[in-house]
């Protein structure tokens, strides 16, 4: 099986001054993780490595670049899933860690479930959820004006797939707010029999339609990844007025990167060709140097 890696840097209205840095960041993550795949690394290892690189890059809203919540703190969410076994690990509201995706990997591998550091505030958040979500929809609208998530999906030489997604959430979010990213089927999903997906965008909308799993449902019905992603994103926009973006790879080696926001930096590498884009309906390619 020919390995494939697809990486995204978040679906939002990326300012021009961040555009080049965002593209270079996802290119670097994709290249490094693809080299691992070529050397026989697993899909899980590859997506973790890709997301770690993005978490270490301050231009992205994950890890070192995460935005602050309403209390001026950083709270991090992440998920990782193994398509071979359907094992997954996720964390939410984590503090004082550099790479939340690796902590999520530890949860998956060691079956540990760390408690949220802000349990009292989380309870308050849940109590006020209806009001908060209403305000978010009315004031914030879609994710077009906020910093966003990073993620990766991969297919390895053994035919196994994996996904990983990581985020610092939205600026000035309520402390303890649990987003879509760590929720299986929303922030990501991987199944060797179908494909792998990583989602980004307006969290409440993604949660309501379980976006990642919805895309895989359409793929199970025979739709290619691109069509499945477009159909699911359109449904989310029409049904709950939310926008976002996704990357996906199928068990047959097809891949896609789709979004309904203004921009989303993405990169895919398959065989000796690197594909990338930032704006809607654009795809550039370049040969990988050996």
């Amino acid at each position: 099986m020919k390995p494939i890696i697809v990486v995204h840097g978040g679906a939002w209205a990326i300012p021009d001054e961040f555009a080049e840095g965002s593209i270079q960041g996802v290119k670097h993550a994709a290249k490094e993780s693809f080299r691992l795949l070529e050397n026989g690394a697993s899909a899980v290892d590859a997506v973790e490595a890709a997301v770690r690189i993005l978490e270490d890059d301050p231009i992205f809203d994950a890890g070192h670049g995460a935005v602050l919540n309403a209390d001026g703190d950083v709270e991090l969410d992440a998920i990782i899933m193994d398509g071979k076994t359907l094992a997954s690990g996720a964390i939410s509201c984590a503090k004082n860690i550099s790479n939340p995706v690796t902590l999520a990997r530890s949860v998956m591998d060691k079956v540990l479930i760390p408690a949220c550091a802000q349990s009292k505030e989380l309870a308050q958040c849940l109590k006020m959820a209806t009001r908060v979500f209403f305000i978010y929809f009315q004031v914030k609208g879609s994710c077009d004006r906020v910093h966003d998530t990073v993620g990766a999906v991969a297919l390895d030489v053994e035919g196994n797939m994996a996904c990983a997604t990581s985020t610092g959430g939205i600026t000035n979010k309520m402390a303890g707010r649990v987003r879509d990213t760590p929720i299986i089927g929303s922030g990501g999903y991987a199944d060797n029999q179908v494909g792998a997906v990583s989602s980004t965008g307006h969290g409440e909308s993604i949660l309501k339609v379980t976006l990642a799993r919805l895309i895989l449902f359409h793929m199970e019905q025979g739709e290619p990844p691109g069509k499945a992603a477009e159909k699911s994103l359109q449904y989310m926009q029409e049904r709950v007025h939310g926008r976002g973006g996704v990357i996906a790879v199928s068990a047959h080696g097809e891949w896609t990167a789709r979004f309904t926001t203004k921009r989303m930096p993405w990169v895919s590498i398959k065989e000796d060709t690197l594909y990338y884009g930032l704006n809607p309906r654009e795809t550039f390619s370049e040969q990988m140097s050996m």
Side-chain angles (χ1 to χ4, degrees), residues 231-278:
K231 184 179 292 187
S232 300
L233 287 168
Q234 182 179 1
Y235 173 77
M236 185 173 77
Q237 188 169 348
E238 293 174 352
R239 186 71 175 84
V240 295
H241 312 293
R243 300 190 181 207
V246 298
I247 53 174
V249 62
S250 76
H252 305 295
E254 301 171 293
W255 62 269
T256 193
R258 293 285 192 275
F259 56 98
T260 52
T261 54
K262 291 185 178 179
R263 284 175 162 174
M264 184 181 80
W266 62 269
V267 170
S268 173
I269 302 177
K270 183 176 182 179
E271 297 186 31
D272 61 348
T273 305
L274 180 149
Y275 304 90
Y276 67 97
L278 176 68

Side-chain angles (χ1 to χ4, degrees), residues 180 186-187 199-212 236:
D180 62 294
S186 292
S199 306
T200 170
H202 182 240
E204 278 67 40
S205 298
I206 292 173
L207 280 166
K208 288 176 180 179
V209 302
T210 54
L211 183 60
M236 185 173 77

Side-chain angles (χ1 to χ4, degrees), residues 69-71 75 93 116-133 135 173-178:
N69 65 14
D71 290 346
E75 290 183 327
C93 309
C116 175
Q118 299 291 331
S119 57
K120 181 178 179 181
E121 291 170 359
L122 177 58
Q124 293 173 342
C125 175
L126 293 174
K127 184 177 180 180
M128 298 175 64
T130 301
R131 177 173 175 270
V132 171
F133 291 171
I135 292 172
K173 61 185 177 290
M174 179 176 286
R177 175 179 177 265
V178 178

Side-chain angles (χ1 to χ4, degrees), residues 16-287:
D16 289 342
E17 58 266 32
F18 292 165
E20 183 60 26
S22 296
I23 287 294
Q24 292 306 316
V26 290
K27 278 187 176 182
H28 175 55
K31 288 177 179 178
E32 292 300 316
S33 55
F34 186 72
R35 290 190 181 98
L36 293 177
L37 289 171
E38 286 189 308
N39 290 327
S42 70
V44 173
D45 289 339
V47 296
E48 180 189 3
V51 171
R52 279 182 63 97
I53 291 171
L54 298 175
E55 290 172 341
D56 290 340
D57 189 334
I59 201 168
F60 299 108
D61 178 23
H64 290 272
V67 297
L68 302 180
N69 65 14
D71 290 346
D73 294 326
V74 171
E75 290 183 327
L76 305 170
D77 292 356
I79 190 171
I80 190 167
M81 186 166 183
D82 183 346
K84 180 179 180 179
T85 63
L86 300 187
S88 62
I91 61 163
S92 183
C93 309
K95 293 184 176 182
N96 302 319
I97 58 173
S98 298
N99 297 108
V101 71
T102 295
L103 181 54
R105 173 79 181 270
S106 179
V107 171
M108 179 176 72
D109 291 343
K110 300 178 182 179
V111 199
L112 297 174
I113 305 177
C116 175
Q118 299 291 331
S119 57
K120 181 178 179 181
E121 291 170 359
L122 177 58
Q124 293 173 342
C125 175
L126 293 174
K127 184 177 180 180
M128 298 175 64
T130 301
R131 177 173 175 270
V132 171
F133 291 171
F134 174 78
I135 292 172
Y136 187 84
F137 273 111
Q138 296 298 316
V139 178
K140 293 290 187 180
S142 72
C143 66
D144 283 345
R145 294 184 294 278
V146 298
H147 215 174
D148 210 70
T149 306
V150 303
V153 296
L155 173 69
D156 65 29
V157 295
E158 299 294 331
N160 297 315
M161 287 178 285
C163 71
T165 310
S166 179
T167 187
I170 62 172
T171 302
N172 203 38
K173 61 185 177 290
M174 179 176 286
R177 175 179 177 265
V178 178
R179 297 166 287 273
D180 62 294
T181 295
I183 307 301
I184 300 172
S186 292
Y189 201 87
D191 182 346
N192 274 11
Q193 296 183 12
V194 189
V197 178
S198 173
S199 306
T200 170
H202 182 240
E204 278 67 40
S205 298
I206 292 173
L207 280 166
K208 288 176 180 179
V209 302
T210 54
L211 183 60
R213 194 62 187 89
L214 180 61
I215 291 169
L216 290 184
F217 167 77
H218 289 305
M219 290 170 62
E220 286 176 319
Q221 306 307 305
E223 299 281 10
K227 184 67 174 179
E230 288 179 356
K231 184 179 292 187
S232 300
L233 287 168
Q234 182 179 1
Y235 173 77
M236 185 173 77
Q237 188 169 348
E238 293 174 352
R239 186 71 175 84
V240 295
H241 312 293
R243 300 190 181 207
V246 298
I247 53 174
V249 62
S250 76
H252 305 295
E254 301 171 293
W255 62 269
T256 193
R258 293 285 192 275
F259 56 98
T260 52
T261 54
K262 291 185 178 179
R263 284 175 162 174
M264 184 181 80
W266 62 269
V267 170
S268 173
I269 302 177
K270 183 176 182 179
E271 297 186 31
D272 61 348
T273 305
L274 180 149
Y275 304 90
Y276 67 97
L278 176 68
N279 298 304
R281 297 178 297 279
E282 77 174 12
T283 299
F284 302 104
S285 64
E286 59 187 50
Q287 295 301 115

